[in-house]
Amino acid sequence: MTQCGIFSAFYYIENSGFSYKNIHDFLDNMPDNINFCSIDLLVKSLDKINTRLIDRQSLALEAALKLADDGGFFDDLNKSKLSIIAGSYSSSIYPSAAFNLSVKEKGANFVNATEFTNTVGNAAVSRACIWNQFRDEAYAISEGVNSGLNAIVDAYNNIKYGNNNDVLACATEEIGAAAVLIQKDPLENHRTRPVIAYIKNCDSNYTGNIMELKNYFDKIVNKFDIELKNTNIYFSGDFDKVNELFIEKKLKYNALINKNMLSLTPLINIGRCLYDYENGMKKDSLIFSVDTSGFVSSVLLAKGGCQWTI
């Protein structure tokens, strides 16, 4: 029967690279405002790549993948059969905004297009495939704050329905990037590293108001067969929208809300969960994210070392 496991998560955020094992060091020292990654530092860290006029999101994603590669993470994987899904909240909005501002300030006849990175929404995932020789399917999604978590949802569904075996689910923004490796049948594939967590179920949906959000949450609890007293909830997104929900349900949750991190926040919570599993936590974990428009994404994880079917 089909298995779906998570093995690791790698991050490059605001000029700092780390894996899920070091995520608490990052969170404990996280500044109030997350700044854009330094282009100069990214270029230096990727000295083997021609980075001239490459957008910041592509460079940040490559920096996160380079951390994985330097650790030998792809050594036992066939890159030609590795798929990648990258979600982005902003779709490289910074270079587009800078170009438009220059046009307004200087006039269309005097703007120098070579001063700005030439990019589109799928640039980061396309360049990651080229630079790393990933030759299977590549997807770029831009669905708001939950885009990074939706990459996990899409990866899970692709594996579930037999479209892929190995998938990198990523988020990429101007502030940094994240990459989470998911694999079908991890025990049968005899990987050399342990399965940290299993994906039990995923869902992505729309709720228009707080009442619909409450109804959706109840449906997720029933659909995922969740025992709330035995489940940790990692929440991100629009706190005001769900505060009432959690008070009514008398739920405890591990709140990390930093809107400057945008869609990276849900995948940071994946990393927090993996960290907690390695440090003795045994409960199931619900990664739950809702944006201001009412779009909700949910991923239910179980501790590695046991088998779950999908």
Side-chain angles (χ1 to χ4, degrees), residues 36 54-61 86-100 117-125 127 139-148 170-177 261-264:
F36 286 172
I54 301 296
D55 66 287
R56 195 189 319 260
Q57 288 195 15
S58 297
L59 295 176
L61 179 57
S88 172
Y89 172 75
S90 60
S91 285
S92 293
I93 195 171
Y94 178 79
S96 301
F99 178 80
N100 290 338
T117 54
N118 180 20
T119 187
V120 291
N122 66 349
V125 68
R127 286 170 173 146
Y139 305 90
I141 58 177
S142 185
E143 302 172 339
V145 171
N146 298 341
S147 294
C170 307
T172 178
E173 309 294 350
E174 305 289 350
I175 61 171
M261 295 180 68
L262 302 174
S263 66
L264 278 172

Tab-separated table of all heavy atoms in Angstrom, residues 36 54-61 86-100 117-125 127 139-148 170-177 261-264:
chain	number	residue	atom	x	y	z
A	36	PHE	N	14.547	41.515	2.977
A	36	PHE	CA	14.854	40.795	1.747
A	36	PHE	C	16.245	40.176	1.850
A	36	PHE	O	17.137	40.708	2.501
A	36	PHE	CB	14.842	41.742	0.541
A	36	PHE	CG	13.465	42.163	0.110
A	36	PHE	CD1	13.308	43.144	-0.851
A	36	PHE	CD2	12.326	41.583	0.639
A	36	PHE	CE1	12.050	43.546	-1.272
A	36	PHE	CE2	11.068	41.968	0.235
A	36	PHE	CZ	10.924	42.957	-0.724
A	54	ILE	N	19.641	37.468	-12.298
A	54	ILE	CA	18.702	36.440	-11.846
A	54	ILE	C	17.910	36.990	-10.664
A	54	ILE	O	18.472	37.634	-9.781
A	54	ILE	CB	19.442	35.151	-11.430
A	54	ILE	CG1	20.242	34.597	-12.606
A	54	ILE	CG2	18.461	34.115	-10.907
A	54	ILE	CD1	19.388	34.151	-13.771
A	55	ASP	N	16.622	36.718	-10.639
A	55	ASP	CA	15.783	37.296	-9.588
A	55	ASP	C	16.077	36.669	-8.224
A	55	ASP	O	16.595	35.554	-8.114
A	55	ASP	CB	14.298	37.098	-9.940
A	55	ASP	CG	13.901	35.646	-9.934
A	55	ASP	OD1	14.301	34.919	-10.865
A	55	ASP	OD2	13.204	35.224	-9.002
A	56	ARG	N	15.709	37.399	-7.188
A	56	ARG	CA	16.030	37.022	-5.814
A	56	ARG	C	15.350	35.710	-5.394
A	56	ARG	O	15.921	34.903	-4.669
A	56	ARG	CB	15.600	38.158	-4.879
A	56	ARG	CG	16.169	38.101	-3.477
A	56	ARG	CD	15.501	39.139	-2.580
A	56	ARG	NE	15.302	40.393	-3.245
A	56	ARG	CZ	16.092	41.474	-3.113
A	56	ARG	NH1	17.145	41.391	-2.332
A	56	ARG	NH2	15.819	42.593	-3.739
A	57	GLN	N	14.119	35.489	-5.854
A	57	GLN	CA	13.416	34.268	-5.467
A	57	GLN	C	14.118	33.029	-6.015
A	57	GLN	O	14.246	32.015	-5.323
A	57	GLN	CB	11.969	34.314	-5.956
A	57	GLN	CG	11.103	35.282	-5.176
A	57	GLN	CD	9.627	35.054	-5.428
A	57	GLN	OE1	9.234	34.029	-5.952
A	57	GLN	NE2	8.808	36.012	-5.052
A	58	SER	N	14.567	33.087	-7.260
A	58	SER	CA	15.294	31.960	-7.849
A	58	SER	C	16.573	31.680	-7.073
A	58	SER	O	16.921	30.522	-6.798
A	58	SER	CB	15.626	32.246	-9.317
A	58	SER	OG	14.458	32.397	-10.092
A	59	LEU	N	17.297	32.738	-6.714
A	59	LEU	CA	18.555	32.578	-5.986
A	59	LEU	C	18.308	32.007	-4.592
A	59	LEU	O	19.064	31.151	-4.119
A	59	LEU	CB	19.283	33.919	-5.897
A	59	LEU	CG	19.758	34.529	-7.223
A	59	LEU	CD1	20.374	35.905	-6.984
A	59	LEU	CD2	20.756	33.615	-7.917
A	60	ALA	N	17.252	32.477	-3.920
A	60	ALA	CA	16.959	31.989	-2.572
A	60	ALA	C	16.583	30.511	-2.597
A	60	ALA	O	17.018	29.732	-1.741
A	60	ALA	CB	15.833	32.816	-1.947
A	61	LEU	N	15.791	30.108	-3.586
A	61	LEU	CA	15.424	28.698	-3.688
A	61	LEU	C	16.652	27.843	-3.970
A	61	LEU	O	16.831	26.775	-3.373
A	61	LEU	CB	14.377	28.496	-4.784
A	61	LEU	CG	13.918	27.054	-5.003
A	61	LEU	CD1	13.372	26.450	-3.712
A	61	LEU	CD2	12.871	26.972	-6.107
A	86	ALA	N	6.792	24.586	-6.558
A	86	ALA	CA	7.181	25.776	-5.798
A	86	ALA	C	6.005	26.735	-5.702
A	86	ALA	O	5.458	27.156	-6.721
A	86	ALA	CB	8.382	26.458	-6.449
A	87	GLY	N	5.615	27.050	-4.475
A	87	GLY	CA	4.545	28.007	-4.245
A	87	GLY	C	5.103	29.361	-3.860
A	87	GLY	O	6.112	29.457	-3.160
A	88	SER	N	4.467	30.416	-4.325
A	88	SER	CA	4.928	31.772	-4.028
A	88	SER	C	3.740	32.689	-3.787
A	88	SER	O	2.773	32.677	-4.544
A	88	SER	CB	5.773	32.320	-5.181
A	88	SER	OG	6.064	33.682	-4.965
A	89	TYR	N	3.836	33.477	-2.722
A	89	TYR	CA	2.802	34.479	-2.443
A	89	TYR	C	2.931	35.668	-3.391
A	89	TYR	O	1.954	36.199	-3.894
A	89	TYR	CB	2.917	34.948	-1.002
A	89	TYR	CG	2.028	36.125	-0.657
A	89	TYR	CD1	0.657	35.943	-0.480
A	89	TYR	CD2	2.553	37.406	-0.501
A	89	TYR	CE1	-0.163	37.011	-0.171
A	89	TYR	CE2	1.743	38.471	-0.188
A	89	TYR	CZ	0.384	38.280	-0.020
A	89	TYR	OH	-0.411	39.345	0.286
A	90	SER	N	4.169	36.067	-3.646
A	90	SER	CA	4.384	37.332	-4.350
A	90	SER	C	4.755	37.189	-5.817
A	90	SER	O	4.729	38.170	-6.551
A	90	SER	CB	5.500	38.124	-3.644
A	90	SER	OG	6.716	37.399	-3.640
A	91	SER	N	5.144	35.976	-6.257
A	91	SER	CA	5.554	35.762	-7.654
A	91	SER	C	6.582	36.793	-8.124
A	91	SER	O	6.407	37.469	-9.126
A	91	SER	CB	4.334	35.778	-8.584
A	91	SER	OG	3.607	34.598	-8.480
A	92	SER	N	7.638	36.946	-7.361
A	92	SER	CA	8.728	37.875	-7.704
A	92	SER	C	8.206	39.280	-7.961
A	92	SER	O	8.509	39.913	-8.976
A	92	SER	CB	9.505	37.364	-8.930
A	92	SER	OG	10.184	36.179	-8.624
A	93	ILE	N	7.431	39.776	-7.035
A	93	ILE	CA	6.805	41.083	-7.227
A	93	ILE	C	7.814	42.225	-7.111
A	93	ILE	O	7.627	43.290	-7.693
A	93	ILE	CB	5.664	41.282	-6.201
A	93	ILE	CG1	4.773	42.452	-6.622
A	93	ILE	CG2	6.202	41.472	-4.793
A	93	ILE	CD1	3.504	42.572	-5.798
A	94	TYR	N	8.916	41.997	-6.378
A	94	TYR	CA	9.854	43.095	-6.151
A	94	TYR	C	10.460	43.631	-7.447
A	94	TYR	O	10.427	44.839	-7.687
A	94	TYR	CB	10.956	42.663	-5.183
A	94	TYR	CG	11.982	43.740	-4.944
A	94	TYR	CD1	11.728	44.791	-4.065
A	94	TYR	CD2	13.205	43.720	-5.607
A	94	TYR	CE1	12.662	45.791	-3.858
A	94	TYR	CE2	14.147	44.711	-5.409
A	94	TYR	CZ	13.864	45.747	-4.530
A	94	TYR	OH	14.792	46.732	-4.340
A	95	PRO	N	11.044	42.776	-8.311
A	95	PRO	CA	11.628	43.336	-9.539
A	95	PRO	C	10.587	43.986	-10.440
A	95	PRO	O	10.871	44.980	-11.099
A	95	PRO	CB	12.287	42.133	-10.218
A	95	PRO	CG	11.652	40.950	-9.608
A	95	PRO	CD	11.302	41.333	-8.212
A	96	SER	N	9.373	43.451	-10.460
A	96	SER	CA	8.314	44.055	-11.278
A	96	SER	C	7.938	45.431	-10.752
A	96	SER	O	7.764	46.389	-11.524
A	96	SER	CB	7.079	43.141	-11.298
A	96	SER	OG	7.387	41.875	-11.803
A	97	ALA	N	7.818	45.533	-9.419
A	97	ALA	CA	7.468	46.820	-8.823
A	97	ALA	C	8.581	47.849	-9.026
A	97	ALA	O	8.320	49.024	-9.305
A	97	ALA	CB	7.177	46.635	-7.335
A	98	ALA	N	9.840	47.403	-8.886
A	98	ALA	CA	10.966	48.314	-9.073
A	98	ALA	C	11.015	48.830	-10.515
A	98	ALA	O	11.304	50.008	-10.764
A	98	ALA	CB	12.275	47.611	-8.715
A	99	PHE	N	10.754	47.941	-11.467
A	99	PHE	CA	10.743	48.349	-12.871
A	99	PHE	C	9.637	49.371	-13.127
A	99	PHE	O	9.864	50.407	-13.767
A	99	PHE	CB	10.541	47.122	-13.761
A	99	PHE	CG	10.464	47.440	-15.233
A	99	PHE	CD1	11.617	47.666	-15.970
A	99	PHE	CD2	9.237	47.541	-15.878
A	99	PHE	CE1	11.557	47.968	-17.319
A	99	PHE	CE2	9.161	47.845	-17.223
A	99	PHE	CZ	10.326	48.057	-17.948
A	100	ASN	N	8.444	49.119	-12.620
A	100	ASN	CA	7.327	50.044	-12.823
A	100	ASN	C	7.609	51.400	-12.196
A	100	ASN	O	7.271	52.453	-12.758
A	100	ASN	CB	6.041	49.455	-12.241
A	100	ASN	CG	5.538	48.269	-13.030
A	100	ASN	OD1	5.867	48.116	-14.199
A	100	ASN	ND2	4.758	47.412	-12.390
A	117	THR	N	15.952	42.371	-12.916
A	117	THR	CA	15.913	40.950	-13.224
A	117	THR	C	14.676	40.640	-14.055
A	117	THR	O	13.577	41.095	-13.766
A	117	THR	CB	15.883	40.115	-11.936
A	117	THR	OG1	14.797	40.559	-11.126
A	117	THR	CG2	17.168	40.258	-11.181
A	118	ASN	N	14.887	39.862	-15.109
A	118	ASN	CA	13.788	39.474	-15.997
A	118	ASN	C	13.180	38.190	-15.454
A	118	ASN	O	13.814	37.143	-15.443
A	118	ASN	CB	14.327	39.252	-17.412
A	118	ASN	CG	13.226	38.853	-18.365
A	118	ASN	OD1	12.055	39.085	-18.097
A	118	ASN	ND2	13.594	38.253	-19.479
A	119	THR	N	11.943	38.276	-14.983
A	119	THR	CA	11.377	37.108	-14.321
A	119	THR	C	9.878	37.018	-14.519
A	119	THR	O	9.208	37.999	-14.808
A	119	THR	CB	11.696	37.143	-12.811
A	119	THR	OG1	11.287	35.917	-12.223
A	119	THR	CG2	10.960	38.275	-12.118
A	120	VAL	N	9.373	35.811	-14.368
A	120	VAL	CA	7.940	35.549	-14.355
A	120	VAL	C	7.669	34.635	-13.161
A	120	VAL	O	8.580	34.200	-12.469
A	120	VAL	CB	7.471	34.881	-15.663
A	120	VAL	CG1	7.567	35.853	-16.821
A	120	VAL	CG2	8.280	33.627	-15.951
A	121	GLY	N	6.396	34.321	-12.935
A	121	GLY	CA	6.033	33.580	-11.736
A	121	GLY	C	6.663	32.208	-11.628
A	121	GLY	O	6.889	31.707	-10.522
A	122	ASN	N	6.958	31.566	-12.757
A	122	ASN	CA	7.534	30.220	-12.700
A	122	ASN	C	9.053	30.219	-12.831
A	122	ASN	O	9.659	29.171	-13.055
A	122	ASN	CB	6.925	29.335	-13.794
A	122	ASN	CG	7.294	29.796	-15.198
A	122	ASN	OD1	7.835	30.891	-15.369
A	122	ASN	ND2	6.997	28.975	-16.192
A	123	ALA	N	9.678	31.386	-12.703
A	123	ALA	CA	11.129	31.479	-12.915
A	123	ALA	C	11.907	30.634	-11.927
A	123	ALA	O	12.836	29.916	-12.308
A	123	ALA	CB	11.569	32.945	-12.821
A	124	ALA	N	11.542	30.710	-10.643
A	124	ALA	CA	12.329	30.019	-9.620
A	124	ALA	C	12.325	28.510	-9.830
A	124	ALA	O	13.379	27.861	-9.796
A	124	ALA	CB	11.792	30.362	-8.233
A	125	VAL	N	11.161	27.926	-10.064
A	125	VAL	CA	11.092	26.474	-10.220
A	125	VAL	C	11.763	26.036	-11.520
A	125	VAL	O	12.433	24.989	-11.567
A	125	VAL	CB	9.622	25.997	-10.150
A	125	VAL	CG1	8.815	26.470	-11.340
A	125	VAL	CG2	9.555	24.476	-10.053
A	127	ARG	N	14.319	27.547	-13.071
A	127	ARG	CA	15.772	27.654	-12.911
A	127	ARG	C	16.300	26.567	-11.987
A	127	ARG	O	17.406	26.041	-12.191
A	127	ARG	CB	16.128	29.040	-12.395
A	127	ARG	CG	16.001	30.095	-13.482
A	127	ARG	CD	16.107	31.497	-12.948
A	127	ARG	NE	16.151	32.456	-14.055
A	127	ARG	CZ	15.617	33.664	-14.017
A	127	ARG	NH1	14.979	34.070	-12.919
A	127	ARG	NH2	15.704	34.482	-15.038
A	139	TYR	N	6.139	22.438	-11.315
A	139	TYR	CA	4.930	23.242	-11.181
A	139	TYR	C	5.243	24.510	-10.390
A	139	TYR	O	6.028	24.489	-9.438
A	139	TYR	CB	3.839	22.478	-10.437
A	139	TYR	CG	3.486	21.133	-11.018
A	139	TYR	CD1	4.157	19.985	-10.593
A	139	TYR	CD2	2.490	20.996	-11.975
A	139	TYR	CE1	3.845	18.739	-11.109
A	139	TYR	CE2	2.163	19.751	-12.501
A	139	TYR	CZ	2.838	18.632	-12.067
A	139	TYR	OH	2.535	17.398	-12.577
A	140	ALA	N	4.605	25.601	-10.781
A	140	ALA	CA	4.681	26.842	-10.025
A	140	ALA	C	3.256	27.252	-9.667
A	140	ALA	O	2.384	27.297	-10.534
A	140	ALA	CB	5.357	27.947	-10.843
A	141	ILE	N	3.010	27.525	-8.406
A	141	ILE	CA	1.685	27.954	-7.978
A	141	ILE	C	1.796	29.259	-7.196
A	141	ILE	O	2.781	29.496	-6.498
A	141	ILE	CB	0.983	26.881	-7.121
A	141	ILE	CG1	1.810	26.531	-5.876
A	141	ILE	CG2	0.709	25.631	-7.932
A	141	ILE	CD1	1.130	25.543	-4.952
A	142	SER	N	0.804	30.118	-7.342
A	142	SER	CA	0.759	31.375	-6.601
A	142	SER	C	-0.668	31.573	-6.129
A	142	SER	O	-1.524	32.039	-6.876
A	142	SER	CB	1.214	32.543	-7.486
A	142	SER	OG	1.270	33.749	-6.730
A	143	GLU	N	-0.916	31.157	-4.896
A	143	GLU	CA	-2.272	31.124	-4.360
A	143	GLU	C	-2.372	31.824	-3.020
A	143	GLU	O	-3.096	31.398	-2.124
A	143	GLU	CB	-2.735	29.669	-4.236
A	143	GLU	CG	-2.709	28.919	-5.565
A	143	GLU	CD	-2.972	27.433	-5.429
A	143	GLU	OE1	-2.780	26.891	-4.319
A	143	GLU	OE2	-3.359	26.825	-6.438
A	144	GLY	N	-1.627	32.922	-2.861
A	144	GLY	CA	-1.711	33.670	-1.615
A	144	GLY	C	-0.793	33.133	-0.542
A	144	GLY	O	0.166	32.400	-0.801
A	145	VAL	N	-1.103	33.495	0.701
A	145	VAL	CA	-0.250	33.182	1.838
A	145	VAL	C	-0.021	31.675	1.991
A	145	VAL	O	1.031	31.245	2.452
A	145	VAL	CB	-0.861	33.769	3.133
A	145	VAL	CG1	-0.118	33.286	4.364
A	145	VAL	CG2	-0.839	35.290	3.068
A	146	ASN	N	-0.997	30.872	1.595
A	146	ASN	CA	-0.897	29.429	1.784
A	146	ASN	C	-0.144	28.717	0.667
A	146	ASN	O	-0.108	27.479	0.644
A	146	ASN	CB	-2.298	28.811	1.898
A	146	ASN	CG	-3.071	29.339	3.088
A	146	ASN	OD1	-2.505	29.881	4.021
A	146	ASN	ND2	-4.383	29.199	3.047
A	147	SER	N	0.448	29.443	-0.253
A	147	SER	CA	1.044	28.819	-1.436
A	147	SER	C	2.093	27.767	-1.088
A	147	SER	O	2.145	26.696	-1.706
A	147	SER	CB	1.667	29.890	-2.342
A	147	SER	OG	0.672	30.736	-2.876
A	148	GLY	N	2.947	28.057	-0.109
A	148	GLY	CA	3.966	27.087	0.276
A	148	GLY	C	3.361	25.800	0.802
A	148	GLY	O	3.796	24.700	0.453
A	170	CYS	N	8.144	23.238	-2.306
A	170	CYS	CA	8.935	24.413	-1.943
A	170	CYS	C	8.063	25.660	-1.788
A	170	CYS	O	6.950	25.733	-2.296
A	170	CYS	CB	9.992	24.701	-3.012
A	170	CYS	SG	11.032	23.297	-3.424
A	171	ALA	N	8.620	26.619	-1.094
A	171	ALA	CA	8.089	27.981	-1.094
A	171	ALA	C	9.235	28.897	-1.451
A	171	ALA	O	10.378	28.654	-1.061
A	171	ALA	CB	7.520	28.358	0.272
A	172	THR	N	8.953	29.936	-2.201
A	172	THR	CA	10.018	30.865	-2.574
A	172	THR	C	9.486	32.289	-2.580
A	172	THR	O	8.446	32.572	-3.177
A	172	THR	CB	10.636	30.494	-3.939
A	172	THR	OG1	11.637	31.441	-4.283
A	172	THR	CG2	9.587	30.417	-5.037
A	173	GLU	N	10.183	33.171	-1.862
A	173	GLU	CA	9.783	34.575	-1.723
A	173	GLU	C	11.019	35.462	-1.821
A	173	GLU	O	12.144	34.979	-1.894
A	173	GLU	CB	9.068	34.805	-0.379
A	173	GLU	CG	7.932	33.845	-0.081
A	173	GLU	CD	6.753	33.984	-1.010
A	173	GLU	OE1	6.700	34.952	-1.789
A	173	GLU	OE2	5.864	33.107	-0.971
A	174	GLU	N	10.789	36.766	-1.775
A	174	GLU	CA	11.923	37.696	-1.775
A	174	GLU	C	12.751	37.581	-0.494
A	174	GLU	O	13.927	37.919	-0.476
A	174	GLU	CB	11.420	39.144	-1.922
A	174	GLU	CG	10.545	39.393	-3.143
A	174	GLU	CD	11.312	39.347	-4.442
A	174	GLU	OE1	12.549	39.314	-4.399
A	174	GLU	OE2	10.670	39.339	-5.501
A	175	ILE	N	12.132	37.103	0.595
A	175	ILE	CA	12.845	37.010	1.871
A	175	ILE	C	13.597	35.693	2.016
A	175	ILE	O	14.454	35.562	2.890
A	175	ILE	CB	11.872	37.160	3.051
A	175	ILE	CG1	10.834	36.041	3.031
A	175	ILE	CG2	11.212	38.522	3.042
A	175	ILE	CD1	9.965	35.981	4.266
A	176	GLY	N	13.269	34.705	1.198
A	176	GLY	CA	13.948	33.423	1.314
A	176	GLY	C	13.141	32.303	0.694
A	176	GLY	O	12.171	32.530	-0.032
A	177	ALA	N	13.555	31.070	0.987
A	177	ALA	CA	12.916	29.916	0.364
A	177	ALA	C	13.006	28.718	1.288
A	177	ALA	O	13.794	28.687	2.241
A	177	ALA	CB	13.580	29.595	-0.975
A	261	MET	N	6.841	37.042	6.902
A	261	MET	CA	7.364	35.816	6.297
A	261	MET	C	6.424	35.267	5.229
A	261	MET	O	6.773	34.347	4.499
A	261	MET	CB	7.603	34.762	7.371
A	261	MET	CG	8.683	35.166	8.353
A	261	MET	SD	8.962	33.913	9.615
A	261	MET	CE	9.681	32.621	8.622
A	262	LEU	N	5.214	35.809	5.159
A	262	LEU	CA	4.261	35.449	4.119
A	262	LEU	C	4.099	33.933	4.012
A	262	LEU	O	3.928	33.258	5.005
A	262	LEU	CB	4.677	36.085	2.788
A	262	LEU	CG	4.790	37.624	2.828
A	262	LEU	CD1	5.340	38.153	1.529
A	262	LEU	CD2	3.466	38.258	3.147
A	263	SER	N	4.153	33.402	2.798
A	263	SER	CA	3.810	31.990	2.640
A	263	SER	C	4.894	31.040	3.139
A	263	SER	O	4.697	29.833	3.143
A	263	SER	CB	3.498	31.678	1.170
A	263	SER	OG	4.640	31.824	0.371
A	264	LEU	N	6.043	31.560	3.561
A	264	LEU	CA	7.037	30.678	4.161
A	264	LEU	C	6.584	30.170	5.521
A	264	LEU	O	7.020	29.116	5.975
A	264	LEU	CB	8.373	31.414	4.328
A	264	LEU	CG	9.272	31.484	3.105
A	264	LEU	CD1	10.455	32.393	3.369
A	264	LEU	CD2	9.757	30.109	2.711
